[in-house]
Amino acid sequence: MGLLAAIGYRNLRYYAGGMADWLEHDGAVAPLPPAAAAAQAASSPGLLWLEVVANFSLATLVGVWLGMIAVFGLLYWLAGIAMGWGLQAGNAAVNPDLPGLGTAIYFSFVTALSIGYGDVVPTGALRFIAVVEGAAGLLIFGCVISKLVSRRQEELTEQIHRTTFEERLNRVRTNLHLVFSDLGLVQQLQAEQGGLPDLVLRRLESTARVLRGELQAVHDLLYRCREMPNEETMESLLSNVIICLEALAEVTGALPGARSATLERMLHSIGQLANEICGECVPRQYAPELKESMDRIQELARRIG
Amino acid sequence: MAKPQTASASTDYRAIERQEILARLQDRALALVNVMPPDSFTAGHIPGSVNLSIAEIQTKARLLLSNLSQEIAIYCAGPS
């Protein structure tokens, strides 16, 4: 931990539980030794079964549910043939023929849905099998319902994500544009007056602060984001960043030695962030033009930071 | 998405929980680093981890993890 921090890694996180905690909660392990896999499966069979079922797709779940009903129906029917104690409809035993199979499957449905009309009743040990079917049917059916609900929810979340994402992109672009025009103004004043009065200096500080924030946003976009803007948007963002950094480099380059501590800190931070936007270090593949833009940003970062 | 987190955060590391690792097993932005000795690593590790035993950190870290601001989750055998 400390060793990695000493090398310079800045985004370290520590999973204190380690392998012990991971295994205790049935985390997947690679490579999976067969013995360990068996032991894992045996350690919590009930929960594991439910988790496996809950991960099925909707179609599979419905299939499993229907299959279970069919199998149990067949079981009731076969029990009637083989052992003589089967289902009873009214006061008569259900016959081991084709209509009897229909009745058994009907009973299976009624049980799995926990309706329990009571027109067909199990006898003997079949009662316990029916209870098991009822419980399993409820659980699987619950999974089906939750799948349906969560699917809709996922769609909504996705939509919200996309909207906020696009809004954010627009804001970054607008802000960068504002930063650029502000820097232009400062530059003009600088040329006219051969230095910067306090008020303008403070304006420069606040502009630098906005630029820093937006640079962080672009940086995050490149490093850790779920969705990517298309390359065109990215290119326009990067070129906006470039013109802003160029203007900033010019303004600060001509600034007389005494800069305020705030400005110094901002510039340092901007330099650091921009330095990490380079074609080599960004962990994603982009078109070559974008790499060039990123390298240009890094070059400017060296001038500023 | 834009968590306020400066690049020059202190060397204090943040904790990461099992749930987050589980949820981000496919996320390439999170590197999983197993700092156990190689033979323990081969015996079993979280899928997608790289092995970087304590002894190898000085020599191999920059090769395996070229990006210093990469988000890295470190773990070993267990709570120590």
Side-chain angles (χ1 to χ4, degrees):
Chain A
M1 200 76 216
L3 284 172
L4 279 169
I7 295 176
Y9 290 98
R10 289 182 294 270
N11 202 355
L12 295 171
R13 305 186 62 183
Y14 185 44
Y15 175 34
M19 279 315 284
D21 178 63
W22 185 259
L23 291 175
E24 198 180 309
H25 293 90
D26 299 316
V29 176
L32 197 61
Q40 256 184 39
S43 64
S44 59
L47 275 180
L48 203 74
W49 173 82
L50 202 62
E51 257 166 52
V52 167
V53 169
N55 281 334
F56 284 165
S57 74
L58 189 60
T60 324
L61 270 178
V62 173
V64 166
W65 189 69
L66 290 176
M68 183 200 76
I69 290 173
V71 167
F72 271 95
L74 205 64
L75 196 70
Y76 299 132
W77 186 63
L78 287 177
I81 299 174
M83 287 168 268
W85 35 264
L87 301 173
Q88 275 199 324
N91 283 327
V94 170
N95 293 328
D97 51 11
L98 211 58
L101 179 60
T103 311
I105 287 178
Y106 159 75
F107 170 73
S108 189
F109 260 105
V110 167
T111 307
L113 286 167
S114 77
I115 298 174
Y117 290 122
D119 55 344
V120 182
V121 291
T123 57
L126 283 194
R127 287 179 298 178
F128 296 104
I129 297 176
V131 168
V132 170
E133 190 196 359
L138 267 184
L139 285 174
I140 299 177
F141 202 62
C143 289
V144 171
I145 301 289
S146 84
K147 266 270 141 68
L148 279 174
V149 174
S150 73
R151 187 193 276 184
R152 176 86 189 113
Q153 208 154 24
E154 269 163 31
E155 265 169 33
L156 274 177
T157 329
E158 178 78 2
Q159 226 168 343
I160 292 171
H161 266 304
R162 193 158 323 130
T163 321
T164 42
F165 178 68
E166 269 156 25
E167 269 169 19
R168 177 99 184 103
L169 276 187
N170 274 334
R171 211 168 71 217
V172 171
R173 234 182 323 212
T174 318
N175 277 349
L176 283 176
H177 182 77
L178 289 179
V179 165
F180 179 63
S181 49
D182 242 24
L183 284 171
L185 198 69
V186 171
Q187 223 167 351
Q188 201 185 340
L189 283 169
Q190 200 175 25
E192 279 169 11
Q193 313 194 357
L196 286 183
D198 258 5
L199 196 68
V200 183
L201 202 61
R202 238 169 287 144
R203 181 164 189 162
L204 180 59
E205 275 173 22
S206 97
T207 308
R209 195 168 290 137
V210 176
L211 178 57
R212 196 207 152 278
E214 299 313 318
L215 207 55
Q216 175 88 59
V218 175
H219 178 271
D220 285 354
L221 208 56
L222 288 167
Y223 273 87
R224 45 184 172 128
C225 76
R226 237 159 263 155
E227 53 216 309
M228 276 311 298
N230 56 31
E231 308 229 314
E232 217 172 296
T233 318
M234 205 63 229
E235 198 176 355
S236 84
L237 273 183
L238 288 179
S239 62
N240 277 355
V241 169
I242 290 178
I243 55 169
C244 285
L245 288 178
E246 271 169 354
L248 186 68
E250 246 169 72
V251 170
T252 54
L255 213 58
R259 299 176 189 172
S260 71
T262 324
L263 186 59
E264 203 64 66
R265 215 174 44 241
M266 281 302 138
L267 290 180
H268 180 70
S269 174
I270 288 175
Q272 233 173 12
L273 279 172
N275 194 29
E276 287 176 14
I277 302 178
C278 68
E280 293 305 314
C281 38
V282 166
R284 234 178 251 264
Q285 292 303 313
Y286 287 105
E289 316 91 75
L290 288 186
K291 270 204 162 51
E292 272 169 33
S293 306
M294 291 180 202
D295 289 340
R296 174 85 182 119
I297 290 177
Q298 196 187 29
E299 201 185 307
L300 286 164
R302 300 224 168 92
R303 268 172 69 191
I304 294 168
Chain B
M1 184 189 318
K3 274 183 260 171
Q5 180 204 349
T6 55
S8 57
S10 67
T11 51
D12 275 352
Y13 37 83
R14 297 173 295 142
I16 186 165
E17 295 303 319
R18 181 173 46 82
Q19 287 85 348
E20 191 182 342
I21 296 185
L22 202 58
R24 297 179 61 187
L25 277 181
Q26 308 299 330
D27 182 357
R28 292 188 54 207
L30 177 72
L32 289 168
V33 173
N34 178 319
V35 291
M36 301 196 291
D39 46 348
S40 316
F41 177 82
T42 12
H45 53 261
I46 301 176
S49 319
V50 292
N51 186 210
L52 191 62
S53 67
I54 305 279
E56 293 173 317
I57 283 182
Q58 290 291 350
T59 50
K60 275 176 67 186
R62 289 310 305 266
L63 285 175
L64 288 171
L65 305 154
S66 55
N67 177 2
L68 285 177
S69 48
Q70 162 92 50
E71 188 175 7
I72 301 168
I74 296 164
Y75 70 96
C76 54
S80 47

